[in-house]
Amino acid sequence: MNKRSGRSQVAGLPEWDRCAVMGVVNVTPDSFSDGGHWFDTTAAVKHGLDLVAEGADLVDVGGESTRPGAARVDEAEELKRVIPVVRGLASEGVTVSVDTMRASVAERSLAAGAVLVNDVSGGLADPAMIPAVAAAGAPFVVMHWRGFLQGSTVRGSYVDVVSEVIDELHARVEAVLAGGVAADRIVVDPGLGFSKEAEHDLILLAHLDRLRELGHPVLVAASRKRFLGRVLAGPEGAPPPARERDAATAAVSALAAHQGAWAVRVHEVRATADAVRVARAVEGARIAEGDR
Ligand code: PMM
């Protein structure tokens, strides 16, 4: 934790003096938000490098779509998609995160140069995940997750969504700590859109301060998600397609950075890179004012 700005850091990763930008490379044929456009190793590596050129601090590589209703990819296929892309980006000096629920994919990715494991199940999907991350000494993103089935009605009912997400994340963090992952390597994530309605996502975004009270850096992954489609829907109620939600995503990035998020995970990096820099400048002005 930086005492002056209150900014949180993650052991084992570079330090950024502002909210970090995590660019997304989905190496899948069926990702809802980029239509499988990057389903090719060379194209995926090039896309990751382009994201870095546009201002991404780290690149999150995933080979399995988590969109509602997506079928699970088998392990061999996930490895085939992810490992060459992780290796290609890491060999170019990119800070690489791997988005996987499988311990084997996490282990092989770390061996290929990844430095962060991002598991949307928070270690629940694969019992071997936490021991693998602990053994490697890798930083770990623990996302709020209520199971494979997602969407509006499935396990998405809450009385007080902020308290419930915090309590459930706290329980996962305890399990991850008990499994041997160091406290200063744990990142928490509210899991926007996972077993949550649009209003749940918005309330969680309004209360990132409470999530930060868990004592771990917070990752926010709002990019192109359904709740933004709902917010932007026209009078007929039709949400714009995922690719037309990037300006809204950048707005969330500014809001998240302003509330002290450690990082934001986005598909379109350029606008978010600007947004987090503006948030940093405003924060710098506030700190300078306090010094006068
Ligand atoms: N969402 C998706 C994929 N990976 N990782 C984290 N930590 N948090 C998320 O909310 C999250 C994630 C699904 O979105 P995508 O298919 O657009 O990548």
Side-chain angles (χ1 to χ4, degrees):
M1 171 87 73
N2 179 312
K3 285 214 183 73
R4 218 165 132 74
S5 64
R7 179 152 300 292
S8 44
Q9 307 287 351
V10 180
L13 295 182
E15 290 189 8
W16 296 283
D17 72 341
R18 51 165 171 70
C19 178
V21 180
M22 176 187 276
V24 177
V25 173
N26 282 327
V27 197
T28 59
D30 60 350
S31 170
F32 74 90
S33 51
D34 56 23
H37 198 62
W38 309 112
F39 190 56
D40 168 270
T41 298
T42 313
V45 171
K46 180 178 181 311
H47 182 54
L49 293 174
D50 287 347
L51 294 180
V52 171
E54 288 166 11
D57 300 298
L58 61 169
V59 171
D60 192 39
V61 178
E64 181 171 50
S65 174
T66 51
R67 104 190 126 83
R72 287 217 70 185
V73 169
D74 73 34
E75 181 182 347
E77 177 65 22
E78 192 184 349
L79 286 165
K80 197 171 92 184
R81 292 178 186 182
V82 165
I83 303 305
V85 179
V86 168
R87 186 175 295 117
L89 287 170
S91 71
E92 296 284 342
V94 176
T95 302
V96 178
S97 148
V98 61
D99 186 346
T100 185
M101 291 184 267
R102 283 199 175 94
S104 58
V105 177
E107 279 172 328
R108 295 270 302 274
S109 295
L110 292 167
V115 291
L116 171 67
V117 177
N118 173 25
D119 178 357
V120 298
S121 83
L124 282 167
D126 183 346
M129 178 62 96
I130 295 170
V133 171
F140 188 51
V141 177
V142 178
M143 199 192 83
H144 177 259
W145 191 73
R146 284 186 167 182
F148 283 106
L149 296 173
Q150 310 171 25
S152 52
T153 51
V154 185
R155 294 188 237 190
S157 67
Y158 301 86
V159 176
D160 174 348
V161 68
V162 178
S163 298
E164 286 167 64
V165 165
I166 288 173
D167 289 350
E168 290 167 32
L169 266 178
H170 178 70
R172 288 314 302 151
V173 167
E174 291 294 309
V176 171
L177 286 168
V181 178
D184 60 2
R185 286 172 197 251
I186 296 174
V187 174
V188 294
D189 178 333
L192 301 177
F194 287 81
S195 302
K196 293 170 192 84
E197 302 266 16
E199 66 261 30
H200 299 137
D201 294 332
L202 292 167
I203 294 170
L204 285 163
L205 278 175
H207 289 287
L208 293 183
D209 54 334
R210 286 187 54 202
L211 256 94
R212 289 182 68 201
E213 285 169 16
L214 281 165
H216 296 278
V218 175
L219 171 66
V220 174
S223 189
R224 298 180 176 173
K225 282 192 173 161
R226 206 164 11 113
F227 78 97
L228 293 176
R230 283 279 305 281
V231 169
L232 300 176
E236 265 88 71
R243 284 184 162 278
E244 290 169 25
R245 300 175 195 166
D246 287 332
T249 299
V252 174
S253 297
L255 291 168
H258 183 65
Q259 292 184 77
W262 165 73
V264 285
R265 177 185 181 278
V266 296
H267 300 87
E268 198 283 315
V269 159
R270 211 181 289 270
T272 278
D274 286 354
V276 297
R277 281 165 178 79
V278 170
R280 172 71 185 90
V282 171
E283 181 185 305
R286 181 176 50 72
I287 292 171
E289 187 187 41
D291 285 348
R292 277 213 304 270

